[in-house]
Amino acid sequence: MQPATSNQQPATSNQQPATSNQQPATSNQQPATSNQQPATSNQQPATSNQQPATSNQQPATSNQNSIAVQAFLSNLDSTLWNAADKLRNNLDAANYKHIVLGFIFLKYVSDTFTAHQTKLLTQFQAPDDELYLDPEFFDESMQQSELNQREYYTKDNIFWVPEKARWETIKSLCNTNIGDELPWGSKFKGVALLIDDAFEAIEQENPKLKGVLQRIASFGVAENTLIGLVNTFSDTNFTTPTHNGEPIHLHAKDILGHVYEYFLGQFALAEGKKGGQYFTPKSIVTLIVEMLEPYQGRIYDPAMGSGGFFVSTDKFIQSHSGNRNAISIYGQESNPTTRKLAVMNMAIRGIDFDFGTRNEDTLKNPLHIDKKMDFIMANPPFNIKEWWSESLADDPRWKFGTPPESNANFAWLQHMIYHLSEKGKMALLLANGSMSSQTNNEGEIRKNIINADLIDCMVALPGQLFTNTQIPACIWVLNKNKTRKGEVLFIDARNIGYMKDRVLRDFSDDDIQKIADTYHKWQQSTDYEDIAGFCKSATLNDIADNDFVLTAGRYVGAEEIEDDGIPFAEKMQNLTACLRKQFSQGQELEQQIEQNLKSLGF
C-alpha cells in the first residue's frame, strides 16, 4: 500500500472527507460517527470493464527505478530493524513495537510538516506565485508569522506539528542535562518524557489522534538506547534517498509507509501467536484485494487488526491509476492497543477512516450496524469459543441460522453478509472446518447460504501461512451481484506458494496473479476452463450432491499426470524387481548388524 500522497487526510478541523457527500468534521473532530455518510448509497464498485489503467502502462525506465527502490528499501529495513532490535534486551516484541512504531510516526508527521514549511517559504518568495509576499510589505518576521498560519497546512491535509514535537527539536535536545530548562519553559526530565510530551502535543493539535500515540516513559528504556534510536532515524535519508550514489524516485511518506508495514510484519513474527491478532500476511491480504478489486465505495473490515486490508486497498487503487478518494474506510477492533496501531497506520498514509469512537467487540457491539458496505474483507480469529451473549439470541444478523455458542465462525460470516450493499462483495478467511462442519447448526447455516446463491468462490489455502496458527484456512468469496448464477468456482491452492523460511509459507506475485486471474476469467466467462487438481466450476446441484460441503478437493479432483508411455504391466514388473532387490539388501544389512552386535558381546 502506498503512503499518503498530496491528498493526505489529516485529523484537523478543516479536514475533508473521502467523498463529495461527506460533511466536514467539527472542531471537536473524532472518528466519524454512525451519522456520518462518507460514501453515498449509490456508490457501486467498478465492474470489470470499468477499470482504470493498469500498472502495466509504465515507462520503460520504471523497471530500473523499481530495482533500485527495492534495493534501497531492503537496506533501509535492515538498518532500522537492527537498530530497533537493540531494545529486545530489555523488552519483548509486544512492548518495544510501540516505541519503534511511535518513532516512525513521529518522524513521518515531522518530516511532512517541515517539507511543507519549506515549500510554503519558497512560494512566499516567488513573485509569480499566488502566495507571494512582497518584501516591501512583509518583512522576515511577518513572513515567519504567516508561515505559522495553520490553515496553510490543514487545507493541504498536513498534520500540524507544534515546535516541541518536531524531529529536529527532539534531536537537538536529546543530550540536554537533567533539570535544564527547555525552550518552552519546562525542565528536561529525560528523552522518554521529551518524546511523550511530543506525542501529547500532537494529540492536542490533532483531535482524531487523541489517546492513540503510546507513551514510552513507562517502559524504562535506557537514555543511551533512546538517543541511539533518535540518531539512527535522523541519519536515514527519507527526503532525498539514494542507492549507489543515484537518486531514488520515492517520496519520504512512501518510504515511511513501507517501513511501518515492514515493522508490523517483523513484530508479528517476533510475537508469534499474539502477532497474528493484528497482522495478516501481506500476500494473503493482497490476494483478497486483487480478487475483489475494490476501486470505489465503502470498504469495511470488522476485525481490522492494524488495518492491512485498508493499506492494500489504497495501494491497489493507486497502482491502477484509480482515485483513492473514491473509497470510504470503515473498521472495528476490540483490542485497544491494536486499534492504535491501525489509526497510526492510516495516518502515516493519509487515509481517512471511520473506526468508531472506541475499541469494541464487533459481534456483541457493532459500531457500524446501520451501514451497508460495498466491499468487506476480514481475517477474524478462527474458531473463537467465548463469544456468545444472550443478547445475541434474536439478532437480525443471523438470517441463515443462529451460530453455535461454541464457535464464532458463522457469526463472523453472517455479520459480514448482513452489512453487504445491494451489489456488495466480500471475502474472509476462515478455518477449513467451516467448509464441512455439520455440528451445532453449522451445516444448516452453510446450506442456507449456498441455496441463497451468495457464494462466488472458495479458495483452499496451503498450510503454514500464518504466524499465529497452524490451522488450515480457506477464503470465502461472496457476491450479491454474481455474474454466474447457480455456480461456484472452487480453487485448490494448497500446492501453490513457496517456503520463505523453515516455518512459514508464502505466495509470490505470480501465485497471487494466477489465483486472481482464474477467478476473474471465470466471472467474465473469458478464457476460463476447469483444470484438474486446481479449479472447477460447480453448480449448486453438484454441491447439494456433496451434502453442501465446500471443500475444494471434492470438486477439483486430482491433477492429471502425463502418460509416460510405459505399459502398466512393464511398470509393475520393474517396481516388483526393485522391491525384491531392496528386500535382499535389507536382509544383508540385518545380518551385518547381528554380526557387529556379537563381536561386541551382545
Side-chain angles (χ1 to χ4, degrees), residues 50-114:
Q50 293 175 322
Q51 295 177 7
T54 66
S55 56
N56 293 329
Q57 298 170 322
Q58 300 293 333
T61 56
S62 66
N63 190 43
Q64 290 179 321
N65 183 61
S66 178
I67 295 173
V69 164
Q70 290 305 314
F72 167 78
L73 292 176
S74 178
N75 181 66
L76 179 64
D77 291 340
S78 177
T79 300
L80 294 182
W81 178 254
N82 289 338
D85 208 37
K86 293 176 182 177
L87 292 170
R88 191 193 291 264
N89 296 330
N90 307 102
L91 301 166
D92 61 25
N95 288 325
Y96 76 79
K97 72 169 177 283
H98 298 301
I99 298 176
V100 177
L101 295 177
F103 270 59
I104 293 173
F105 180 80
L106 191 59
K107 185 70 163 65
Y108 165 73
V109 295
S110 181
D111 279 3
T112 54
F113 179 85
T114 302

Side-chain angles (χ1 to χ4, degrees), residues 158-178:
I158 303 295
F159 282 103
W160 175 265
V161 181
E163 181 69 31
K164 65 165 62 177
R166 296 172 194 172
W167 191 263
E168 287 305 315
T169 301
I170 293 170
K171 180 184 176 184
S172 67
L173 295 173
C174 272
N175 293 300
T176 303
N177 295 320
I178 299 293

Side-chain angles (χ1 to χ4, degrees), residues 499-515:
M499 295 301 294
K500 62 188 298 185
D501 54 38
R502 292 184 299 172
V503 178
L504 289 175
R505 193 174 188 87
D506 205 358
F507 285 149
S508 67
D509 291 343
D510 288 341
D511 295 331
I512 293 169
Q513 209 62 50
K514 177 181 179 180
I515 297 170

Side-chain angles (χ1 to χ4, degrees), residues 303-347:
M304 66 182 181
S306 58
F309 281 111
F310 305 137
V311 171
S312 190
T313 296
D314 190 61
K315 176 186 288 186
F316 172 83
I317 290 171
Q318 293 191 66
S319 68
H320 289 77
S321 302
N323 178 10
R324 69 197 303 254
N325 290 325
I327 63 169
S328 300
I329 299 297
Y330 294 86
Q332 186 166 340
E333 174 58 44
S334 62
N335 185 297
T337 301
T338 303
R339 185 180 182 278
K340 292 177 181 179
L341 293 178
V343 172
M344 285 198 294
N345 209 0
M346 300 303 100

Side-chain angles (χ1 to χ4, degrees), residues 448-464:
N448 292 337
I449 294 172
I450 292 169
N451 284 334
D453 201 12
L454 289 173
I455 301 175
D456 220 16
C457 180
M458 297 294 300
V459 182
L461 297 171
Q464 297 177 267

Side-chain angles (χ1 to χ4, degrees), residues 288 378 380 409 412-413 416 426-430 474-478:
I288 287 176
N409 287 345
W412 285 109
L413 182 60
M416 293 170 66
M426 58 174 269
L428 81 161
L429 288 150
L430 285 178
C474 60
I475 300 174
W476 292 60
V477 181
L478 283 74

Side-chain angles (χ1 to χ4, degrees), residues 127-143:
D128 58 345
D129 195 281
E130 62 179 359
L131 296 181
Y132 174 63
L133 300 179
D134 192 332
E136 184 177 346
F137 305 104
F138 294 87
D139 60 22
E140 187 174 340
S141 64
M142 295 174 69
Q143 286 193 16

